[in-house]
Amino acid sequence: MGPKVAERLGRLGIVTVRDLLEHIPRAYDDWSEATGFAGLALGQEATVRCAVERVKVRPTRRRNLKIVQAIVRDGEGTRVAAVWFNQTWVTRQLGEGTELLVHGRLAGDSFTVERHELAGQTEGLHTVGLVPAYRASEEISSARLRDLVGQARPRLRFLPDPLPARLRADEGLPLRADALAAAHRPHERAEAEVARARLALEELLVLQVRVLGRRRELEDETSAPPLDEEGELIGRYRALLPFTLTHDQESAIAEISADLALSRPMQRLLQGDVGSGKTVVALYALLRAVERGHQGALMAPTETLAEQHFLTVEGICNELGVRCELLTSSLPAAQRRAARDRLASGEADLAVGTHALIQDEVEFRSLAVAVVDEQHRFGVEQRRALGKTTPHVLHMTATPIPRTLAQTVYGDLDVTEIARPPADRRPVVTRWVGHERSAEAYTRLRRHLEEGRQAYVVCPLVSESETVEARAAEQEAERLRAHELRGFRVGCLHGRLKTAERREVMDAFKRGELDVLVATTVIEVGVDVPNATIMIVQEADRFGLAQLHQLRGRVGRGAQQSYCLLVSRPKEELTEDAARRLETLVETADGFELAEVDLDLRGEGQLLGTRQSGLSDLKFARLTRDRELIARARKLAEAVADDEDDVVGPLRLEAERLDEDHRGFA
Ligand code: ADP
Ligand code: MG
């Protein structure tokens, strides 16, 4: 194999022989060998063994078309003219008496060859049986890969098998080499699937062993202050809430409580749909720290969101006599320093800010609980950095994914779900409105405003830059003030406003001094105004499914029926995926269900968090298809984690090899 080929393989992600052998087919063509040409129906696809009698190249009247024709004879003595189009090079292979396998179709009295191979050389590798089709590239064809894999096959036996023999016996799994051999060259399709499942299970198991190992390491190295029981402050907090907690909220709190009581740092993920009431639970965890004389930190991915959280938290804290600091980079230096000093001395109880700020700058007197909002935006590294400061950590995400997946994607976290929103909620009524009827959408929106409710208008997603997007939003707000929303108080919110301005706009909207917020996706998370009951999303087809769902979550936060109107071009002009996104949104309000569809549409590589966990590099497993295998791998990983080294040793070794490969992001 020359250096050129190596390079080309490299671009397919194939560097070592092992990579090549682990590059299993993505599909198979099922071609059985026919006994002869005579038995074939017209147009029937088949593979026939035959010998060449004579060959000639025929030019045709069309300038660019050359035909190679060989009179061939099969084992039964039937002669046909085998025809190759535009492949004059085959004449070099074909002499009188050459034996070969041809694959193609009978067309009249000739046989059109799609693919052939010389008998005795590769023996059916390309033309007979379940012929593997590989993920290939422009530079290196599936046929070439078949040849290369065929040559490398004898080396299968030298590849390591990380599955411990006992586990293989207990689970009834074949040897790795056998599974790979079967995957490349199965006798039946079922055999290929069994082989793939065996390889996928091992892959998932290694991943889980790695994730669990990392978690144990973290636990061994660190400890957090145990917070035993609820105290007086929590009593007052509960009394202050204008509602009773839902069953799901209470059980989330119970799980968190049990974690907090230990000196092993909590590493829990709180999953719940937008508006399901996660913030209330998060604040509970923070206050548990405060009432024992420790501190809490709430970290958000963006400044806007941090500010938004601060506004929510500050109100409650004031009533409880808890001192809360906002920390963002746009705060004047002197103020920031003062806030930091108060956190260092313990004068302040809670910090709300962006994660970067809190992690890099702040010395806490005693940080006991950290809440990380939208954890998927934080890499494993950040999680680890946090771990060193040894608080209990609660991660929150409003992009829920099915539990089995969550355990793999966020395998080093315990998972808690708030599955149901507060009972007084009605699902947001969602409509898909064509451009031509957008006037009606605004009429409807005005009706809400006239009844004293508030509204959002979300501007189209602009990919160029935040600045361009901000300018577009300003212009749109201006336009709406002059036309559709004339006479109403319209504010504009985007990422290019100074903190103070942004805060002012959000405050004014919260206090009801603005009727409408025209905004970019900065309102995607955190904005919580129950009186806002209608949202128009412009050019909704430009947004992703999860993003639209997040945006929609800004309404439907009170007892009133809320509406979300998705304005887009007509269906005929949309891509199939875009249309399906909008349809799905209209049909379902359930975040978990949407996550499934999203997964389906975007593929698992796009799943948030997969990159950190190594899931985007899976060779054999498919997250969408292999739920059962994922659960099984998880159980096995837990079961073997405490086993002697001769059992987990090879798995750990394999995990380390992966870590080596992925240093830099995992
Ligand atoms: P999330 O953070 O999950 O998106 P929030 O915690 O912001 O949701 O809650 C959304 C809204 O629901 C808030 O206005 C909150 O005050 C309210 N809420 C939370 N829990 C309850 C409950 N148990 N009953 C009624 N309303 C609730
Ligand atoms: Mg929230």
Side-chain angles (χ1 to χ4, degrees):
M1 184 169 87
K4 259 269 185 37
V5 178
E7 248 171 60
R8 290 171 179 176
L9 285 172
R11 282 191 279 274
L12 271 176
I14 299 170
V15 178
T16 61
V17 172
R18 174 169 180 173
D19 294 335
L20 179 65
L21 289 168
E22 288 178 353
H23 190 75
I24 64 171
R26 57 171 176 74
Y28 304 89
D29 293 316
D30 191 357
W31 295 331
S32 46
E33 188 178 333
T35 48
F37 297 107
L40 297 182
L42 218 58
Q44 184 187 339
E45 196 174 347
T47 299
V48 180
R49 189 178 299 265
C50 53
V52 176
E53 297 199 329
R54 67 199 130 77
V55 185
K56 67 175 175 201
V57 179
R58 249 180 35 203
T60 59
R61 247 169 283 159
R62 278 200 279 148
R63 195 148 52 93
N64 293 322
L65 186 63
K66 283 209 179 84
I67 288 177
V68 174
Q69 194 184 61
I71 304 299
V72 296
R73 199 184 142 170
D74 66 24
E76 296 167 337
T78 313
R79 277 195 190 80
V80 300
V83 174
W84 285 259
F85 291 103
N86 274 345
Q87 297 177 65
T88 44
W89 57 269
V90 303
T91 53
R92 273 178 272 134
Q93 285 190 342
L94 308 178
E96 199 186 314
T98 309
E99 285 191 29
L100 73 165
L101 286 153
V102 290
H103 179 85
R105 291 166 205 279
L106 204 60
D109 52 2
S110 65
F111 186 87
T112 311
V113 181
E114 270 168 31
R115 197 185 280 180
H116 73 276
E117 67 188 306
L118 302 184
Q121 277 198 353
T122 44
E123 248 340 294
L125 183 61
H126 300 280
T127 53
V128 180
L130 286 171
V131 177
Y134 293 97
R135 185 172 60 78
S137 68
E138 295 258 304
E139 311 177 310
I140 199 145
S141 67
S142 181
R144 189 70 208 271
L145 284 165
R146 269 195 301 274
D147 276 330
L148 291 168
V149 170
Q151 287 160 25
R153 269 173 77 95
R155 298 176 66 178
L156 268 175
R157 303 287 143 198
F158 302 120
L159 295 188
D161 189 341
L163 275 195
R166 203 186 71 205
L167 198 145
R168 217 167 46 221
D170 289 352
E171 298 289 312
L173 299 167
L175 285 170
R176 187 171 210 268
D178 292 339
L180 279 171
H184 286 292
R185 214 53 196 155
H187 298 290
E188 299 161 31
R189 280 181 197 276
E191 196 189 350
E193 181 46 31
V194 169
R196 189 198 66 86
R198 148 71 174 81
L199 296 165
L201 181 69
E202 173 204 299
E203 184 171 46
L204 291 164
L205 178 59
V206 167
L207 196 71
Q208 292 289 337
V209 164
R210 177 170 163 222
V211 154
L212 289 179
R214 243 192 270 173
R215 171 162 187 173
R216 263 160 214 239
E217 231 173 74
L218 214 61
E219 283 171 5
D220 289 347
E221 285 166 9
T222 58
S223 71
L227 307 167
D228 49 6
E229 276 168 28
E230 288 187 1
E232 174 266 343
L233 180 63
I234 290 292
R236 282 194 289 133
Y237 172 59
R238 282 180 179 274
L240 201 67
L241 293 174
F243 41 73
T244 43
L245 296 175
T246 63
H247 172 267
D248 284 5
Q249 283 171 322
E250 287 291 3
S251 53
I253 281 176
E255 288 182 344
I256 290 167
S257 259
D259 287 351
L260 294 178
L262 305 175
S263 61
R264 188 191 75 179
M266 169 167 75
Q267 285 286 333
R268 186 168 288 280
L269 173 70
L270 179 61
Q271 285 206 108
D273 208 347
V274 260
S276 60
K278 295 182 297 295
T279 312
V280 182
V281 174
L283 194 51
Y284 166 91
L286 293 170
L287 293 174
R288 287 286 305 269
V290 174
E291 68 180 1
R292 289 283 174 260
H294 299 285
Q295 290 162 301
L298 174 54
M299 294 181 272
T302 66
E303 300 238 322
T304 327
L305 187 50
E307 286 159 17
Q308 186 58 36
H309 273 312
F310 180 71
L311 293 177
T312 315
V313 171
E314 193 191 29
I316 300 172
C317 284
N318 284 344
E319 301 218 30
L320 293 172
V322 169
R323 291 145 309 175
C324 185
E325 299 286 346
L326 174 67
L327 273 169
T328 61
S329 57
S330 41
L331 224 55
Q335 255 174 277
R336 213 157 91 207
R337 205 171 320 118
R340 274 199 328 247
D341 287 347
R342 285 192 291 273
L343 286 162
S345 69
E347 201 183 317
D349 304 304
L350 289 183
V352 180
T354 58
H355 73 289
L357 218 61
I358 288 181
Q359 275 168 230
D360 301 346
E361 288 195 1
V362 185
E363 290 262 350
F364 288 88
R365 195 180 58 80
S366 173
L367 180 64
V369 175
V371 174
V372 183
D373 195 14
E374 291 311 314
Q375 82 96 38
H376 64 251
R377 300 188 194 195
F378 293 83
V380 173
E381 283 312 320
Q382 279 100 352
R383 235 192 263 162
R384 297 198 117 183
L386 255 183
K388 280 178 221 139
T389 66
T390 67
H392 295 284
V393 183
L394 181 68
H395 306 268
M396 293 200 292
T397 177
T399 319
I401 55 175
R403 199 186 185 85
T404 48
L405 273 187
Q407 283 182 337
T408 302
V409 177
Y410 313 115
D412 50 347
L413 302 176
D414 297 310
V415 181
T416 295
E417 260 172 34
I418 300 186
R420 259 177 262 275
D424 64 347
R425 294 292 166 66
R426 292 189 236 170
V428 177
V429 172
T430 305
R431 297 266 180 271
W432 178 3
V433 183
H435 263 165
E436 70 289 353
R437 294 182 48 208
S438 75
E440 287 168 44
Y442 284 96
T443 307
R444 183 143 197 188
L445 184 135
R446 280 196 301 271
R447 221 177 301 136
H448 280 248
L449 301 182
E450 278 151 13
E451 285 168 10
R453 314 248 159 256
Q454 290 162 286
Y456 299 99
V457 176
V458 180
C459 297
L461 195 62
V462 179
S463 49
E464 290 108 84
S465 77
E466 204 173 41
T467 313
V468 177
E469 191 164 86
R471 205 177 314 124
E474 297 270 13
Q475 280 166 5
E476 181 57 12
E478 214 31 65
R479 198 190 65 75
L480 288 168
R481 280 186 198 112
H483 297 97
E484 284 94 335
L485 301 178
R486 191 181 200 130
F488 292 103
R489 297 163 300 174
V490 178
C492 184
L493 196 69
H494 55 71
R496 272 296 140 109
L497 290 178
K498 296 219 177 65
T499 317
E501 295 168 330
R502 221 187 302 159
R503 211 176 147 182
E504 223 166 87
V505 174
M506 290 198 298
D507 267 348
F509 190 65
K510 239 183 169 161
R511 286 194 303 263
E513 290 160 14
L514 289 172
D515 302 306
V516 186
L517 213 49
V518 175
T520 62
T521 51
V522 295
I523 63 154
E524 188 182 337
V525 257
V527 179
D528 182 24
V529 178
N531 190 46
T533 51
I534 186 163
M535 165 179 284
I536 290 180
V537 183
Q538 300 179 337
E539 301 192 35
D541 53 287
R542 293 212 204 166
F543 296 88
L545 190 55
Q547 198 168 26
L548 284 170
H549 182 58
Q550 294 293 313
L551 286 168
R552 175 169 67 177
R554 297 310 112 203
V555 293
R557 301 194 145 232
Q560 296 291 326
Q561 178 63 59
S562 289
Y563 298 84
C564 176
L565 309 176
L566 306 168
V567 179
S568 90
R569 286 171 292 160
K571 189 172 175 179
E572 307 78 64
E573 289 178 28
L574 298 183
T575 63
E576 206 174 297
D577 277 3
R580 176 139 177 245
R581 284 201 297 271
L582 297 183
E583 262 161 15
T584 309
L585 228 77
V586 168
E587 278 160 23
T588 105
D590 181 77
F592 286 88
E593 227 178 291
L594 286 170
E596 297 256 1
V597 178
D598 205 23
L599 206 60
D600 203 32
L601 281 173
R602 295 197 298 172
E604 49 241 32
Q606 295 300 310
L607 194 70
L608 296 161
T610 50
R611 193 156 167 75
Q612 284 96 345
S613 52
L615 285 181
S616 55
D617 303 310
L618 290 177
K619 282 181 175 160
F620 308 114
R622 295 283 162 268
L623 294 183
T624 33
R625 263 170 60 191
D626 293 333
R627 299 287 167 77
E628 257 167 61
L629 288 179
I630 290 171
R632 192 165 153 208
R634 176 78 179 186
K635 277 213 198 80
L636 284 174
E638 277 163 2
V640 302
D642 298 317
D643 273 359
E644 330 74 71
D645 259 5
D646 59 322
V647 178
V648 274
L651 289 166
R652 291 225 181 91
L653 222 59
E654 178 61 13
E656 278 163 25
R657 189 181 75 91
L658 288 176
D659 276 340
E660 292 283 304
D661 281 1
H662 301 297
R663 223 185 344 234
F665 64 81

